Amino acid sequence: MTDAITSKTAAELAGDFRDGTLSASEIVDAHLDRIEALNPELNAFLYIDADRARRRAADLDAVRAAGNEAGALAGVPIGLKDLLCTEGIPTTAGSKILKGWRPPYDATVVSRLEAQGAISLGKLNMDEFAMGSSNENSAYGSVKNPWDTSKVPGGSSGGSAAAVAAGMVPLALGSDTGGSIRQPAALCGVVGVKPTYGRVSRYGVIAFASSLDQIGPFGRTVADAAFMLEAIWGYDHFDSTSIEEPPTPVGSVLDDGVQGLRVGVISELANTEGLQPEVAAALQRSAGQLAAAGAIVDEVSVPSIEYGLSAYYLIAPAEASSNLARYDGIRYGLRVEGPDTAATNRLTRAAGFGDEVKRRIMLGTYALSAGYYDAFYGKAQQVRTLIIDDFARAYERFDVLLSPTSPTTAFGLGDKVDDPLAMYLSDVCTIATNLAGAPAMSVPVGKDAHGLPIGMQILAPALGERPMFQAGAALEAAASFNAAEKTGGAL
Amino acid sequence: MSAKITREDVAHVAALARLDVTDDELDRFTKQLDAILEHAASVEALDIDGVKPTYHPLPLVNVFRDDVVRPSIERDAVLSQAPEAEDGRFRVTRILDAE
Amino acid sequence: MTIAEATTVIDGWEPVIGLEVHVELKTATKMFCGCRNEFGGAPNTHICPVCLGLPGSLPVLNRQAVEFAMRVGYALNLNIPERSVFHRKNYFYPDMPKDFQTSQYDEPITEDGWIDIEGVRIGIERAHLEEDTGKSTHVGTSGRIHGAEYSLIDYNRAGVPLLEIVSRPDIRSAAQARAYVAELRAVLFAIGVSDVKMEEGSMRVDANISVRPVGRERFGTRAEIKNMNSLRSLERAVDYEIRRQITELESGGTIVQETRHWNEDDGRTHSMRSKEGADDYRYFPEPDLVPVAPSLSWREEVAAQMPELPAQRRARLVERWGISADDADVLVAVAGLADYAESAVDAGADPVEVTKWVTGDLLGRANESGLSPAEWKVTPHYLTETLALVADGTLSRNLAKTVLDKVWESGDAPSVVVDREGMAQVSDSDELGGLVDALLAEHPDDVVRYREGDEKSQKKLLGFFMGQLMKQTRGQGNPGVLNQLLRDKLNGA
């Protein structure tokens, strides 16, 4: 019975709750049971909010019993990446420096989900301050990939991707600064969406790189991802970079098909260095499937895309070095006392941050420092302009673009920890989207020889979520990826 | 941009960023940062003279709030999270470097 | 000496001074959040995730702060560029919750203006918006930052909007520095953007000072002087620092580029412990905010609403009221004083009389008490009423002074004070004539001396008699009537 519930999609669960087939309490209990069973091995949840979730479920059941409307997501369990502020509930951003911190406020997206009846089961593991591509940078231990627990789940939203893949929750929120939703979605065989910058409020989202960060959903189906996205997006006056025009729903285009949709396969990413042959083959297969479904598919060059990585690894650390200055041991979180305040700052930060965070803080500090600003930060922002211009040219001819999400399937735990640059290169396909502020999503389309999932990335111009979801749904239908066939020991 | 980052540079940025680093860490970080910066130097191949920088992906301007008071938060909700507090204020060790 | 002449040249050295003036803007809320912008208040009660820089919080710019900055722009002849952006100024400081200050860098909200002070034009490089910091209290033996055992931080002030007004290095003396700040203060008060109270810290002045041999173009090495909390201390500090630098250079020493702290008690500037490492603020555009691009219609609206500036007001008062330029200076220089005087005049009082009382008696009392005109118990209406009592002969000038003293203390209406104290002037000729007769009868020798004396001794004796009569009437005898009666009777009429 339990697995029958946890294998349902969010849309199914919402329907079951609405028509009385399942109570919210039954739904929550089934998922909590599964979390309890799997989390010791997967380490996806950092904090399980069981009591509060059960109370919320009981409240929702009472609301329904009284014949009242409980919201579009009523009864649907969700998980929240641990960089979303939750009032009174521990929020760590995967860092020791925030251990035990309980924010006095909720992120806008958290309030919106709760207002629509979603029930948070807890906080999900992540790379410290969202810096990483494998989840191995979490101060609270790595998350394991549910498909093979010797592999990484991807990062930085590895906990979110793993939790959804393992059926611990049907939906989860993650954040994407350079691929942190899409890459783990690909590696864990789930759908992950990075919306247009400004579409989803960042208020209450612990910042990594402010001009790149964007919140987005994970689901096991394209429809579920759309379901969650529609619950969180839209203007928020607490975020100055929020887009005021109301978004057009995407759930309604999922059955529209791709007849006449123009799809460009990004040639630079189709041949990128280190591309796993099975991933390259999957890309060709996906392109063929879309063409077979009526799309007009062709190759397109986005020449500057290859420089995205270089620009990103200057811009993101620069912003991060400033965003993370506030963790100084004075107002919240860890403090390691020194003889004076400056020493307290230095000792606290040395003890509280992990190596990757320190590396990026130093890299960003360097990129912004006197004498280097123009050569590094300034130049990187010029590259950003080139990328935006190249994309604009591509979108003159195409509605959406197609590429692999990650050059490889899930790699082994520990494989890249000593080589930061190699780790960074696993983001080569996803980064340019963030620099352009555009949306992109990853859809699982197949598996490699070891049974590990392969994700395909659909990119769209800013505010192009509708054609993106159209293509995503078509690809999902054509690929008929079977999420149930996990080979991992935990499942 | 091709100039190598030195151990002294790394020590300098660590001081600016208020990170205590050990000698071993300095060696390691210098090597790693140098590799990353070398890769970043690939953008030198691009002709970007005269290209306008993009600081922000959205072309938004003039986002304001009205000058209307909103309730502040409970002091205790914040001070309870502080490593040390006294008399309704955050307590810190001696501040030596006055602004 | 005029301000133009008030340049200080000592032994062939000329000072070069630029001032950075920070003013807290009088918005209802902080710069980036809805917390109250209010001086005082229990510690950490005007705080929220945004002004505390809590993880996840984001700033949203207060429109009023921008509008105030634009108003300052129009008042100080500054350009308001098409586009202005906020930058982050990165450095660690416990009073600054994000460990960066949101400020402006190379695209400020206003730039390139000037202000005229008695014919001397002082250039203004820019006036830009930034946020204020919290405040720490140093606990320990000395109460000062050095030697404190620990500090306690209150973030109520963190995020309060500041405008930093940066002058060009056009100032050549301590007196000019003072005059510049005084004029700036009058302007900012007049346009309603700030309380400009140096003592409370809503206006803070830092001075960049260097000296150079007269005739040399290149600037000398400058020191930045902080901690001057009144116009007087600004003038003293600048004067001290000019002399210190000249003395240092004359004795073969060099000037170090540093920050120096003015100490009001010993009248000197002191080198502050320098900050760890060189300043490298790593400015970059604040990604959580978007540019400000004031539209033409917004600019026009702000420009149309500009109130009268101090210089215009001085000219108007001199012309319309017939008062001296010096009196007009005082009225306009003291925050709220000209408004007070204009209210009294609007209520029907004579402008010259009002100016005399306001700049004399009342301002004297105000200086003792530290109250601003709006806080005086002698309201403009009460002043008008008192002056009317003088005009109709009910009160002498001296009695009026006494009445205003009592109104100042009690806040009662002048008529109430006059009634209660029985202070009305006695003008009745019969009553006063009797007193005069009696007095002259008591001093027959003086009467003879008067009648035989020259003009000078007559005047002296008249004064003596008047004094006696005022004493007898406890000041309530109408001096005009008494004077006439005395003259008549002494001249034997």
Side-chain angles (χ1 to χ4, degrees), chain B residues 12 15-18 55-56 58-75 78-79 85-99, chain C residues 27-31 33-35 43-49 52 60-64 66 92-93 137 145 148-153 155 275 282 285 287 290-293 298:
Chain B
H12 175 66
L16 274 178
R18 297 235 166 133
Y55 292 105
H56 215 270
L58 289 176
L60 291 174
V61 292
N62 293 337
V63 175
F64 301 115
R65 36 173 282 275
D66 290 334
D67 189 20
V68 176
V69 176
R70 285 175 45 86
S72 293
I73 52 174
E74 283 299 314
R75 182 166 75 185
V78 177
L79 286 184
E86 185 177 312
D87 287 344
R89 287 170 288 184
F90 296 85
R91 179 174 163 154
V92 296
T93 30
R94 301 183 301 152
I95 301 171
L96 287 184
D97 47 345
E99 162 63 359
Chain C
T27 49
T29 63
K30 293 186 180 183
M31 179 96 122
C33 66
C35 287
N44 292 308
T45 50
H46 304 326
I47 53 168
C48 76
L52 263 184
V60 184
L61 183 56
N62 185 338
R63 183 197 314 269
Q64 186 66 61
V66 175
F92 283 83
Y93 197 60
T137 311
I145 195 160
E149 315 226 323
Y150 62 94
S151 302
L152 297 175
I153 313 177
Y155 291 105
K275 260 189 267 174
R282 290 158 283 134
V290 304
V292 175
W298 192 14

Side-chain angles (χ1 to χ4, degrees), chain A residues 28-250:
Chain A
V28 163
D29 284 342
H31 286 88
L32 285 173
D33 285 351
R34 192 158 172 90
I35 291 169
E36 203 182 311
L38 298 180
N39 203 53
E41 179 156 13
L42 296 181
N43 197 28
F45 275 84
L46 292 178
Y47 181 81
I48 302 166
D49 204 4
D51 292 345
R52 197 170 155 281
R54 289 199 171 98
R55 276 200 308 276
R56 291 247 317 141
D59 288 348
L60 286 163
D61 286 334
V63 168
R64 188 190 55 183
N68 293 323
E69 175 56 39
L73 281 163
V76 179
I78 59 168
L80 302 169
K81 187 174 182 177
D82 205 25
L83 49 53
L84 292 158
C85 286
T86 42
E87 188 177 344
I89 295 163
T91 301
T92 67
S95 182
K96 216 172 3 177
I97 213 160
L98 277 177
K99 188 169 186 174
W101 182 55
R102 291 173 187 261
Y105 75 115
D106 275 332
T108 297
V109 286
V110 172
S111 311
R112 287 189 181 180
L113 286 168
E114 298 220 330
Q116 292 175 68
I119 303 167
S120 168
L121 302 190
K123 307 299 286 289
L124 294 162
N125 205 347
M126 57 182 284
D127 282 304
E128 185 179 7
F129 287 104
M131 297 176 186
S133 308
S134 69
N135 231 290
E136 292 162 296
N137 297 332
S138 168
Y140 304 99
S142 305
V143 177
K144 311 287 191 300
N145 192 316
W147 292 80
D148 178 345
T149 53
S150 71
K151 306 288 186 193
V152 303
S156 65
S157 312
S160 305
V164 172
M168 295 164 138
V169 280
L171 294 175
L173 283 184
S175 70
D176 191 314
T177 306
S180 280
I181 289 174
R182 291 159 288 159
Q183 187 256 16
L187 270 49
C188 289
V190 296
V191 176
V193 178
K194 184 252 168 219
T196 302
Y197 185 88
R199 257 298 173 231
V200 180
S201 169
R202 291 185 295 117
Y203 189 73
V205 179
I206 297 179
F208 162 16
S210 310
S211 77
L212 305 166
D213 294 346
Q214 191 62 189
I215 291 296
F218 285 90
R220 287 192 294 272
T221 64
V222 171
D224 268 8
F227 191 29
M228 192 180 214
L229 178 60
E230 289 181 354
I232 57 169
W233 68 1
Y235 181 65
D236 177 19
H237 62 272
F238 287 109
D239 177 355
S240 302
T241 63
S242 178
I243 296 171
E244 210 167 344
E245 298 81 48
T248 318
V250 288

Side-chain angles (χ1 to χ4, degrees), chain C residues 308 312-325 327-332 336-359 380 383-384 387:
Chain C
E308 187 181 42
Q312 298 162 333
R313 192 173 205 177
R314 274 191 291 264
R316 177 172 58 85
L317 294 180
V318 167
E319 195 195 312
R320 299 252 184 92
W321 288 9
I323 61 175
S324 71
D327 280 345
D329 274 352
V330 175
L331 284 180
V332 172
L337 200 60
D339 287 342
Y340 179 97
E342 291 210 58
S343 301
V345 171
D346 288 348
D350 175 64
V352 175
E353 283 296 311
V354 166
T355 303
K356 209 181 288 172
W357 284 96
V358 163
T359 59
L383 176 63
T384 306
L387 295 182

